[in-house]
Amino acid sequence: MDKYKDIHSSVSSKKENVNDLESLESFRQEFLGKKGDISLAMKELGKLEPDERKKHAEELNIIKDSVLSFVKVKTEEINNEILDKQIKTESLDVTLPVSSSSGTIHPITQVIDEVIAIFADLDFYVAEGPEIETDYNNFTALNTSEHHPARQMHDTFYVNSETDGMQNVMRTHTSPVQIRSMLSQEPPIRLIAPGKTFRCDNDQTHTPMFHQVEGLVIDKESNMGHLKGCLEIFLKSFFETDSLNMRFRPSHFPFTEPSAEVDIGYKKKGNQLIIGEGSDWLEILGCGMVHPNVLRNINIDPDVYQGYAFGMGIERIAMLKYGISDLRTY
Ligand code: DAH
């Protein structure tokens, strides 16, 4: 070890001066940096005879390893000290009162909570599904075949991945939660599924990500009359009005037959919209009786079971209820 005695003792004495990450880095550079003592000595090895070289290399590697392990241990030690200090000095007293400028619940979250509360009173439970869905659940199982025009209307974001060999999409509506729920649960089913939905669309009244709530009831007797009653109770309760003009307009959705769109009456008073009264109509949601093909797709016998479904945009009902003209300001 004679040849490297100086390096060895220099390593030992300089270790003493290391007390923070900066001095640790200088220490490392001094020995292992490009022009560090150990690195330079390593270069010199090439000039030696093979026997000598082997012997010296062994000695040098011992010193090098000791520097490396010191750097490793010391880094951890210093980082722990920094963390301890932070924990001691940066404590947060959660019992302090919040300042008056603190945040509030976003109107979308608030409306989702209101919708859930109303449907909970009507015996609906909340179901969830993933935002990245298979093309099959988002379209095919919902009776929307490959070339169905509804696929174009949905301006789908296709995702570069597959699940079980199936193309994935960002779900364009919350309706695929119907499929997932019917596959995992026997009827009777009575669910709502609020959540994020995505379409490649962006203008003053559309954003690429928006929210919907889906409703689904499957049992042996539910009919269009039940659907109407359920939606009437919901809309009256949501818009907090006892009188509500409401009409069912024939429509078309691949997953319901018959299908309808629901409009509610409104009138304008100055800048304000009065919901429920008046002779003007606002389209508010889509609904219908679940198409027998949807039930067949998940092995539910449509001769035994039937039911209704509905879907509505959360942004739209939030804006109407709270008189918000542009949600992007929130
Ligand atoms: N999924 C439809 C859409 O995004 C909305 C909808 C319409 C859902 C009718 C339904 C329904 O469950 O029955 O436009």
Side-chain angles (χ1 to χ4, degrees):
M1 190 75 75
D2 272 0
K3 190 169 167 48
Y4 302 117
K5 212 169 157 194
D6 287 349
I7 300 183
H8 188 67
S9 61
S10 171
V11 166
S12 303
S13 75
K14 299 226 159 120
K15 271 183 188 172
E16 307 291 322
N17 301 333
V18 173
N19 50 20
D20 56 18
L21 288 176
E22 214 176 16
S23 50
L24 181 62
E25 177 56 15
S26 320
F27 171 85
R28 197 189 65 81
Q29 287 286 349
E30 189 167 344
F31 296 103
L32 299 177
K34 241 183 177 176
K35 295 205 168 120
D37 292 352
I38 297 178
S39 312
L40 291 179
M42 286 280 186
K43 272 190 196 145
E44 294 296 311
L45 290 176
K47 295 180 187 155
L48 303 175
E49 292 300 314
D51 275 0
E52 284 273 282
R53 190 188 309 149
K54 188 163 177 261
K55 195 169 137 259
H56 285 102
E58 273 168 13
E59 289 175 9
L60 211 45
N61 272 329
I62 291 172
I63 306 178
K64 185 181 170 187
D65 287 347
S66 83
V67 170
L68 281 173
S69 70
F70 174 76
V71 169
K72 191 167 169 237
V73 170
K74 201 72 186 169
T75 306
E76 208 177 306
E77 194 183 306
I78 295 172
N79 278 332
N80 282 342
E81 276 169 18
I82 293 174
L83 191 65
D84 274 354
K85 220 172 173 177
Q86 266 179 340
I87 290 172
K88 280 197 192 107
T89 56
E90 294 176 15
S91 61
L92 178 70
D93 187 349
V94 291
T95 63
L96 286 175
V98 280
S99 79
S100 56
S101 61
S102 60
T104 54
I105 305 276
H106 192 278
I108 293 300
T109 311
Q110 190 177 320
V111 165
I112 290 176
D113 289 346
E114 288 172 25
V115 170
I116 291 174
I118 298 169
F119 279 108
D121 279 348
L122 296 171
D123 260 358
F124 283 74
Y125 68 87
V126 174
E128 286 184 326
E131 289 161 14
I132 296 177
E133 228 343 327
T134 58
D135 180 90
Y136 180 81
N137 285 347
N138 195 81
F139 290 120
T140 316
L142 286 162
N143 201 32
T144 314
S145 56
E146 204 182 328
H147 300 293
H148 199 288
R151 287 196 183 219
Q152 265 78 53
M153 275 153 57
H154 277 208
D155 296 315
T156 313
F157 283 116
Y158 284 89
V159 178
N160 256 350
S161 71
E162 293 183 351
T163 300
D164 301 334
M166 281 186 262
Q167 165 80 58
N168 282 331
V169 299
M170 300 300 290
R171 66 176 178 191
T172 58
H173 50 178
T174 39
S175 305
V177 181
Q178 289 188 20
I179 301 299
R180 290 182 173 267
S181 302
M182 288 192 279
L183 281 173
S184 65
Q185 193 202 329
E186 302 265 306
I189 291 173
R190 210 173 161 81
L191 66 84
I192 56 162
K196 290 187 171 66
T197 45
F198 307 83
R199 291 186 200 178
C200 188
D201 208 354
N202 200 9
D203 60 33
Q204 210 172 345
T205 51
H206 296 94
T207 48
M209 189 277 284
F210 55 105
H211 299 77
Q212 287 189 339
V213 60
E214 185 76 16
L216 175 73
V217 170
I218 300 289
D219 53 28
K220 290 184 179 162
E221 60 279 320
S222 282
N223 58 39
M224 207 74 182
H226 295 113
L227 167 64
K228 190 174 175 211
C230 165
L231 291 177
E232 188 173 341
I233 294 173
F234 166 72
L235 291 169
K236 279 183 174 168
S237 176
F238 181 76
F239 288 109
E240 296 171 20
T241 171
D242 284 335
S243 65
L244 184 85
N245 287 345
M246 173 173 145
R247 72 177 181 193
F248 276 54
R249 218 171 358 92
S251 185
H252 177 266
F253 298 104
F255 31 88
T256 42
E257 180 58 37
S259 303
E261 274 169 301
V262 175
D263 299 337
I264 51 173
Y266 80 99
K267 67 178 176 200
K268 261 194 155 169
K269 203 174 162 191
N271 262 349
Q272 223 188 333
L273 285 190
I274 312 282
I275 304 279
E277 305 165 18
S279 50
D280 288 322
W281 296 101
L282 277 171
E283 182 190 319
I284 203 99
L285 59 86
C287 62
M289 298 303 295
V290 176
H291 197 296
N293 284 349
V294 174
L295 297 176
R296 276 185 203 108
N297 285 341
I298 38 206
N299 289 328
I300 293 183
D301 184 353
D303 291 330
V304 179
Y305 289 104
Q306 59 190 41
Y308 58 83
F310 52 88
M312 67 192 126
I314 299 283
E315 275 77 358
R316 185 165 172 77
I317 60 170
M319 290 168 94
L320 289 173
K321 178 164 179 180
Y322 293 106
I324 302 168
S325 54
D326 189 347
L327 260 175
R328 290 172 298 183
T329 51
Y330 277 79

